[in-house]
Amino acid sequence: MPVRAFFDRLLRSAAPARPLAIARIVVAGVALAKAADLAPALFNLSGGEVIRLPYWGGAPDISMGMAWLLVSCWAAAGVGLLLGWRTRWTGAVLVAVMVAVLLLDQQLYSNHFYLLILLCLLLTIADSGAALSLDARRAGERETVPAWPVTLLKLQLSIVYGFAVFAKLNLFYISGAVLDVYWTRQGLYAMPDALRRMEVLFVLAAISLLAEAILAMAMWHRRTRHTAFVIGLGLHLAIIATMGPTWELTLFAFMMFGLYLLFLDATPRSRLVVWDDQCAFCRRWVMSFRRLDWLRVHRFVGSSDSSILTEAGVTREAADTAIQLVGGHDRRASGFAAVRSILEHLPASFLWAPILRLPPIEWLGDRAYRNVGARRSCEVPIRVKT
Amino acid sequence: MLIRFVTNAAVISAHTSRRASFDGSMRTRVNSDRASGPRRILAVAFFVMFLLMQVAVPLFQLTQPRPARFGWQMFSTLRADALGVSYHIEAAGGELIPVQLSAHFARVRLEIDHRTVLPPYLCEVTPGAAAVIFERGGTTTGRYPCP
């Protein structure tokens, strides 16, 4: 039975723990920022100076004491989740507090806040404290976690973008009227009045719809994933620059980027990087890559280790000429292509690194790599622990 | 159907999980406790229910006036009834006092129908208010008389 086989496979499979842990840190950071964002509204409601709009008649009044208690618990649990201290407990407390705040008053709702609650819930269930956490420091870091909650987190991303597209399939949006109203009229990214024409706004609306539709689907395919990362980065930067409120939209972007990371092929030590360890210049670069390889996807080995060269099927000449990458979906890459591929798998650069695939940039990068490779300083042989 | 999923999931066998110590050495262990029936049933039930809810609710919200909550309808439309509407309190002497929405809402949200919730509130908190007037483009479009 296909359904049974699906669940069988899903429950058996494991996902890398580190991308999930970084997503936890990002989302917990957003939760703390959101506490600071919503606290004034909560205190306003408790002061009785603004309208109260509870969801149902018997909702409790918000006292100043209750507001302080909620914000304090929120902040404490947020810090706990960020540090990965008793992750499941702090995550559960954080979710409970945020649900309580969400249900106190209709004015406290926002799509971003609702998404934040769902992500915290799934991160709590997903054992996101298995790595990069105080829990992991105490009990030992795990390389993998059950995959099914990670799959739910990834599906949540598609659901958000997918339904955003469906909701925008209306005349107001497609005509560009929504963009006309929300697009800032002041500052660097203000749209000039001359451009606020229906044809222009229609094209922009269509582009944004297409981008969100791509993001809902393309992340799931290996070949389109990296392109989707760049599209997502561009879309969110454009939204932040041109619309408001900037702070809320920035937090939303961070949440989504945290989810993007879960789509990255991050099997631990699955990619072997062979580099010229007799070269001081190369060493500096490799040390930087290693420091940024928070997912521990790469295994960096020097070309002086002949057993590794045999294992990787790389000749010493090739390894001494250019950095070599073996494994992962790229199979084999060298020089600039290898550098680009490494950058595409580092959390700090995976969103923008696929831009380096564009033909003119790739061509320029390749030339620059060859030039630098020919002139690099390799006088000082250095032994590096691999 | 759901019950069959859950029952089937209960027989799924154990999965392995790997632990890495800080010196980088690896050891693999079979996580038999994780594989036990009740946890698997819970996992499958949660997976199915969460996904169903996350698809069904936004789908239903597409049939509601937009923007609706829990439907991922960010920047999807404009509320035609709220667009360009300004509110004034009509004092007992006929004087019109403009209303700042941000002064009366903790957060101004488009999901909230201001025309429904604001006038009764303004009448209640403004001593001597005779009515709340809605205007659009300088034209009065509605009047809510205070009780």
Side-chain angles (χ1 to χ4, degrees), chain A residues 113-371:
Chain A
F113 185 32
Y114 175 47
L115 178 64
L116 178 64
I117 294 172
L118 294 176
L119 298 191
C120 286
L121 172 68
L122 292 174
L123 286 166
T124 303
I125 290 168
D127 204 4
S128 58
L132 300 172
S133 65
L134 294 178
D135 289 347
R137 195 167 275 272
R138 192 177 57 239
E141 180 166 332
R142 258 175 289 144
E143 273 204 340
T144 60
V145 288
W148 66 268
V150 179
T151 305
L152 279 180
L153 280 161
K154 289 156 82 173
L155 284 169
Q156 189 62 51
L157 176 135
S158 291
I159 287 169
V160 171
Y161 284 129
F163 277 104
V165 172
F166 287 136
K168 284 171 182 157
L169 293 176
N170 63 71
L171 274 180
F172 267 125
Y173 192 83
I174 294 171
S175 68
V178 175
L179 286 182
D180 188 31
V181 168
Y182 285 114
W183 197 298
T184 183
R185 289 171 189 272
Q186 291 167 342
L188 190 61
Y189 302 103
M191 185 189 284
D193 285 341
L195 283 178
R196 284 185 187 266
R197 300 205 319 258
M198 193 176 166
E199 314 86 76
V200 177
L201 293 166
F202 167 77
V203 170
L204 290 171
I207 290 171
S208 70
L209 272 175
L210 185 67
E212 285 187 303
I214 289 172
L215 288 171
M217 295 180 290
M219 298 271 181
W220 295 91
H221 304 287
R222 184 168 53 80
R223 289 191 174 185
T224 52
R225 185 173 297 150
H226 292 287
T227 309
F229 291 156
V230 176
I231 291 173
L233 178 67
L235 179 76
H236 284 283
L237 288 181
I239 292 173
I240 291 167
T242 60
M243 294 182 178
T246 307
W247 178 241
E248 275 201 29
L249 294 172
T250 306
L251 295 183
F252 176 57
F254 271 105
M255 278 193 282
M256 299 311 271
F257 295 156
L259 292 181
Y260 288 9
L261 201 58
L262 303 178
F263 286 88
L264 211 55
D265 174 26
T267 310
R269 294 184 301 283
S270 59
R271 296 153 61 84
L272 180 68
V273 179
V274 184
W275 61 286
D276 179 5
D277 55 356
Q278 302 299 307
C279 169
F281 178 81
C282 308
R283 179 177 182 271
R284 278 199 297 275
W285 275 94
V286 168
M287 290 305 282
S288 302
F289 287 149
R290 187 179 289 167
R291 266 199 297 275
L292 293 170
D293 187 26
W294 303 330
L295 302 178
R296 291 189 182 161
V297 180
H298 300 99
R299 204 152 52 103
F300 295 93
V301 291
S303 59
S304 59
D305 186 341
S306 53
S307 64
I308 287 294
L309 293 179
T310 313
E311 181 197 320
V314 175
T315 63
R316 181 172 298 279
E317 291 72 32
D320 289 345
T321 310
I323 192 167
Q324 304 288 318
L325 175 71
V326 182
H329 292 303
D330 293 307
R331 304 281 179 218
R332 199 169 283 271
S334 72
F336 181 72
V339 171
R340 188 209 63 221
S341 184
I342 293 168
L343 289 171
E344 284 178 346
H345 289 79
L346 302 180
S349 55
F350 79 104
L351 286 173
W352 57 263
I355 294 172
L356 302 177
R357 285 176 187 257
L358 292 174
I361 299 176
E362 188 165 40
W363 182 80
L364 285 171
D366 207 39
R367 278 187 69 108
Y369 187 94
R370 282 169 205 263
N371 283 339

Side-chain angles (χ1 to χ4, degrees), chain A residues 12 106-107 109 139 141 167 248, chain B residues 13 20 66 69-70 106-107:
Chain A
R12 272 172 191 267
Q106 294 178 45
Q107 296 162 84
Y109 175 85
E141 180 166 332
E248 275 201 29
Chain B
S13 61
R66 293 178 202 177
R69 294 184 190 92
F70 309 110
R107 288 158 68 87

Side-chain angles (χ1 to χ4, degrees), chain A residues 70-139:
Chain A
L70 286 169
V71 172
S72 308
C73 288
W74 187 338
V79 171
L81 187 67
L82 182 83
L83 299 175
W85 180 72
R86 303 201 182 281
T87 312
R88 284 228 158 107
W89 283 102
T90 48
V93 170
L94 182 62
V95 171
V97 170
M98 289 196 296
V99 168
V101 170
L102 180 78
L103 295 179
L104 273 177
D105 197 284
Q106 294 178 45
Q107 296 162 84
L108 298 173
Y109 175 85
S110 70
N111 289 295
H112 309 155
F113 185 32
Y114 175 47
L115 178 64
L116 178 64
I117 294 172
L118 294 176
L119 298 191
C120 286
L121 172 68
L122 292 174
L123 286 166
T124 303
I125 290 168
D127 204 4
S128 58
L132 300 172
S133 65
L134 294 178
D135 289 347
R137 195 167 275 272
R138 192 177 57 239

Side-chain angles (χ1 to χ4, degrees), chain B residues 28-99:
Chain B
T28 304
R29 69 185 177 114
V30 176
N31 227 344
S32 55
D33 57 334
R34 258 190 209 162
S36 62
R39 289 192 78 149
R40 288 191 168 257
I41 293 172
L42 271 176
V44 173
F46 182 87
F47 188 92
V48 173
M49 294 307 293
F50 185 90
L51 207 53
L52 271 179
M53 210 180 83
Q54 284 308 310
V55 173
V57 172
L59 214 51
F60 174 75
Q61 293 300 66
L62 286 175
T63 66
Q64 299 299 302
R66 293 178 202 177
R69 294 184 190 92
F70 309 110
W72 313 120
Q73 299 180 358
M74 299 82 76
F75 298 111
S76 63
T77 188
L78 302 165
R79 283 190 73 122
D81 58 341
L83 206 61
V85 173
S86 57
Y87 296 86
H88 297 269
I89 297 168
E90 187 183 298
E95 183 194 354
L96 289 181
I97 305 159
V99 172

Side-chain angles (χ1 to χ4, degrees), chain A residues 13-96:
Chain A
S13 50
R18 283 202 161 217
L20 188 72
I22 295 174
R24 183 200 81 231
I25 292 166
V26 171
V27 171
V30 170
L32 286 170
K34 196 72 193 169
D37 180 41
L38 274 185
L42 206 52
F43 290 128
N44 252 349
L45 285 166
S46 69
E49 287 156 9
V50 292
I51 191 168
R52 276 290 328 264
L53 296 171
Y55 284 95
W56 63 90
D61 283 337
I62 307 171
S63 65
M64 192 57 88
M66 184 201 273
W68 272 111
L69 182 68
L70 286 169
V71 172
S72 308
C73 288
W74 187 338
V79 171
L81 187 67
L82 182 83
L83 299 175
W85 180 72
R86 303 201 182 281
T87 312
R88 284 228 158 107
W89 283 102
T90 48
V93 170
L94 182 62
V95 171

